[in-house]
């Protein structure tokens, strides 16, 4: 037992060290102050039944500064809740805003990729940068200008600026911080930017910028037409076409409340986790490793204390503390909530494992859907 506890403590400490290095040295952080860009930038906003939350997003887009050539293209993707009317009321007669009505995805296309494909097709040809923004994202006044500046400074074709994730419910606080923690802990950021390997890619679609010429070269969203994780697959397509990608901490530029309720969060993760891991065997291996590294140490500590083995308990508690420290560092680096949420990190990993199992279970039975459309 002593050897097991020691190995776990060393492994988790090493991974937490990687989190600290990524967060402190390799994570790009765009400036959040006044900056101006001379390029024409098209902000593309796909909407499907977003009447309840599009207003703050659109108002923030209209308030953008430092982008004289700003264009905003909105696509109403088959909404039934009056989303288009809300957009018209907020935008008024602002000439920067164009509202389009989407059409049903043709065979072979999923809803989100086809909405983005339509948006790109409706964009002013003069736009040299496309910025895809989700309806649950609220940008700060210089967010677009700062992100474009970082895209060019990184000499990247695609830049994913992860927003600050707003959490309110217990489910939020358990699950949402794992998004940033996973890639800060396990993804070698410098290698990801330098490597041409498409498999070494990460991206988030909430606030994603792409060079227009590079987007076209990669095949645009037509290259990821049937992909559930269209953001990551677009990053891979960019790499396959010879482009570079970069990740950035966008917590000072954007905030995002992804899900309002536990059922929404549960179903949102369920629809896509199977695509994250691919083969069920790979998913099993990854989840088993996460459970062993981050859930076993506190359980082992309790068992060792009950058996009167203080050395084993101490090593196991060290492993648990290292895992908590990684969560805390990730939260501080990305504008998230650290305390006391990080103390429940083992529970978060268990919930992630359950969501992954649920995702494969429902996919096998062809019962996965999102916003009324099948996704598998």
């Amino acid at each position: 037992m002593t050897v097991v506890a020691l190995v776990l403590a060393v492994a988790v400490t090493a991974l937490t060290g990687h989190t600290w290095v990524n967060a402190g040295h390799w994570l790009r952080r765009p400036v959040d102050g006044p900056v101006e860009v001379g390029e024409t930038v098209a902000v593309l906003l796909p909407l499907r039944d977003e009447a309840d939350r599009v207003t703050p997003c659109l108002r923030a887009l209209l308030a953008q500064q430092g982008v004289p050539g700003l264009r905003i293209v909105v696509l109403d993707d088959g909404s039934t809740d009056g989303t288009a009317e809300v957009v018209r009321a907020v935008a008024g007669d602002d000439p920067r805003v164009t509202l389009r009505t989407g059409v049903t995805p043709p065979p072979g296309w999923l809803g989100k990729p086809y909405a983005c494909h339509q948006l790109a097709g409706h964009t002013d040809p003069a736009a040299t940068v496309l910025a895809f923004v989700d309806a649950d994202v609220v940008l700060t006044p210089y967010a677009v200008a700062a992100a474009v500046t970082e895209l060019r400074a990184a000499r990247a074709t695609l830049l994913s600026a992860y927003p600050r994730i707003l959490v309110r419910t217990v489910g939020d606080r358990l699950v949402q911080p794992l998004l940033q923690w996973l890639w800060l802990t396990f993804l070698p950021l410098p290698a990801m930017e330098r490597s041409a390997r498409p498999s070494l890619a990460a991206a988030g679609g909430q606030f994603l910028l792409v060079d227009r010429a590079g987007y076209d070269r990669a095949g645009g969203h037509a290259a990821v037409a049937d992909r559930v994780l269209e953001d990551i697959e677009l990053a891979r397509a960019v790499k396959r076409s010879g482009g570079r990608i970069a990740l950035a901490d966008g917590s000072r530029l954007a905030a995002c409340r992804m899900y309002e309720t536990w059922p929404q969060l549960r179903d949102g993760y369920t629809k896509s986790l199977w695509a994250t891991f691919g083969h069920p065997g790979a998913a099993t291996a990854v989840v088993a490793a996460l459970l062993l590294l981050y859930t076993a140490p506190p359980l082992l500590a309790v068992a060792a204390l009950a058996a009167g083995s203080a050395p084993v308990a101490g090593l196991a508690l060290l492993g648990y503390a290292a895992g908590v420290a990684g969560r805390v560092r990730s939260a501080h680096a990305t504008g998230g909530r650290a305390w006391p949420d990080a103390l429940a990190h083992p529970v978060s990993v268990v919930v992630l494992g359950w969501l992954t199992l649920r995702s494969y279970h429902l996919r096998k039975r062809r019962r996965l859907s999102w916003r009324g459309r099948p996704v598998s």
Side-chain angles (χ1 to χ4, degrees):
M1 293 290 286
T2 302
V3 174
V4 172
L6 177 61
V7 170
L8 289 176
V10 170
V12 176
T13 300
L15 287 169
T16 293
H18 187 249
T19 307
W20 281 73
V21 171
N22 264 342
H25 297 284
W26 303 121
L27 184 58
R28 294 181 178 275
R29 290 187 168 86
V31 299
D32 56 347
V35 62
E36 184 165 317
V37 296
E39 300 182 64
T40 298
V41 181
V43 176
L44 309 181
L45 182 61
L47 302 175
R48 181 172 171 83
D49 292 332
E50 302 284 7
D52 291 340
R53 56 182 181 176
V54 68
T55 296
C57 174
L58 188 53
R59 283 178 175 167
L61 293 179
L62 293 171
Q64 288 300 296
Q65 300 179 44
V67 192
L70 182 71
R71 305 287 185 270
I72 302 170
V73 186
V74 183
L75 185 84
D76 179 26
D77 184 22
S79 300
T80 59
D81 65 347
T83 293
E85 287 72 17
V86 174
V87 171
R88 293 188 186 98
V90 174
D93 57 357
D94 194 311
R96 296 173 298 172
V97 180
T98 301
L99 173 62
R100 299 285 185 173
T101 300
V103 299
T104 302
W109 284 83
L110 293 179
K112 179 71 177 289
Y114 194 58
C116 293
H117 174 73
Q118 293 176 82
L119 282 165
H122 291 310
T123 301
D124 184 344
T128 54
V129 176
L130 307 180
F132 293 92
V133 178
D134 282 352
D136 50 15
V137 173
V138 178
L139 301 180
T140 58
Y142 285 95
V144 172
V148 172
T149 299
E150 189 65 31
L151 173 75
R152 297 313 188 194
R155 297 181 180 180
T157 306
L158 180 148
L159 175 76
S160 177
Y162 275 80
R164 179 167 58 95
I165 303 299
L166 303 178
V167 296
R168 298 192 183 116
T169 68
V170 172
D172 283 343
R173 292 163 62 181
L174 283 174
V175 178
Q176 295 289 57
L178 295 179
L179 288 171
Q180 288 95 336
W181 172 78
L182 282 167
W183 56 261
L184 277 175
T185 301
F186 296 98
L187 186 65
L189 293 184
M192 185 211 68
E193 291 194 10
R194 292 194 300 263
S195 173
R197 291 174 55 191
S199 60
L200 196 57
Q206 293 117 327
F207 186 28
L208 187 149
L209 288 85
V210 60
D211 174 77
R212 177 67 172 274
Y215 176 82
D216 292 339
R217 208 163 40 242
H221 278 85
V224 298
D226 60 348
R227 304 295 177 161
V228 175
L229 297 175
E230 86 292 333
D231 41 16
I232 296 176
E233 295 299 336
L234 181 61
R236 290 172 175 163
V238 165
K239 280 198 168 188
R240 281 193 291 269
S241 66
R244 298 181 66 228
I245 68 174
L247 288 179
D249 166 35
S251 61
R252 295 180 295 179
L253 306 180
C256 175
R257 170 85 167 131
M258 291 179 65
Y259 305 107
E260 296 294 333
T261 66
W262 167 251
Q264 289 179 2
L265 185 151
R266 177 199 64 202
D267 294 344
Y269 277 85
T270 297
K271 74 175 170 61
S272 58
L273 279 172
W274 68 269
T276 302
F277 297 111
H279 192 277
T284 301
V286 171
V287 171
L290 289 174
L291 291 172
L292 179 64
L293 290 168
Y294 296 100
T295 303
L299 296 177
L300 182 59
V302 171
L305 286 173
S309 179
V312 173
L315 288 171
L317 286 173
L318 176 61
Y320 166 65
V324 170
R327 268 286 293 271
V328 170
R329 184 65 180 110
S330 172
H332 287 166
T334 58
R337 173 173 172 153
W339 299 105
D341 303 42
L343 296 174
H345 187 54
V347 180
S348 296
V349 173
V350 170
V351 174
L352 177 64
W354 174 76
L355 289 170
T356 303
L357 177 64
R358 185 174 189 266
S359 180
Y360 280 94
H361 174 75
L362 292 182
R363 181 173 185 261
K364 185 177 181 180
R365 284 156 179 75
R366 300 185 178 276
R367 290 169 53 194
L368 288 179
S369 65
W370 185 247
R371 300 291 176 92
R373 288 172 174 163
V375 296
S376 67

